[in-house]
Amino acid sequence: MAEQFLGAGAMGRVYRASREGTLERDYVVKVFGSSSPNANARFRREGEVMAKIDHPHVVKVVATGQEGALPYMVLEYVEG
């Protein structure tokens, strides 16, 4: 999985990543940058809620997880 840093904001960092193999696709990995347990829980809930939305004008959440103390979301990549 190759990574490319796309940007950062007040709440975290965003990377572009690609999955190699038979289902090669590009994704966005949004890594939350807070160490607050309450803020991390809120970020995880945001990912869970967004994953339930199925609309052609809303980016789909592919996965959510946590690496160490930092939660993350994997979203489909949309050019632009």
Side-chain angles (χ1 to χ4, degrees), residues 21-62:
T22 57
L23 297 175
E24 188 171 325
R25 293 189 179 156
D26 287 339
Y27 297 95
V28 170
V29 180
K30 183 177 178 183
V31 181
F32 193 57
S34 174
S35 60
S36 163
N38 289 337
N40 286 349
R42 193 169 50 243
F43 181 82
R44 284 192 301 275
R45 278 194 307 275
E46 175 188 336
E48 292 168 1
V49 169
M50 286 179 60
K52 295 176 183 178
I53 298 172
D54 184 19
H55 190 278
H57 299 292
V58 177
V59 174
K60 291 179 177 44
V61 173
V62 178

Side-chain angles (χ1 to χ4, degrees), residues 2-21:
E3 294 182 4
Q4 174 190 5
F5 178 73
L6 296 178
M11 302 303 281
R13 300 172 312 277
V14 180
Y15 300 89
R16 182 175 178 177
S18 61
R19 178 179 177 172
E20 298 172 356

Side-chain angles (χ1 to χ4, degrees), residues 60-73:
K60 291 179 177 44
V61 173
V62 178
T64 61
Q66 186 161 332
E67 186 68 35
L70 297 176
Y72 65 87
M73 278 186 241

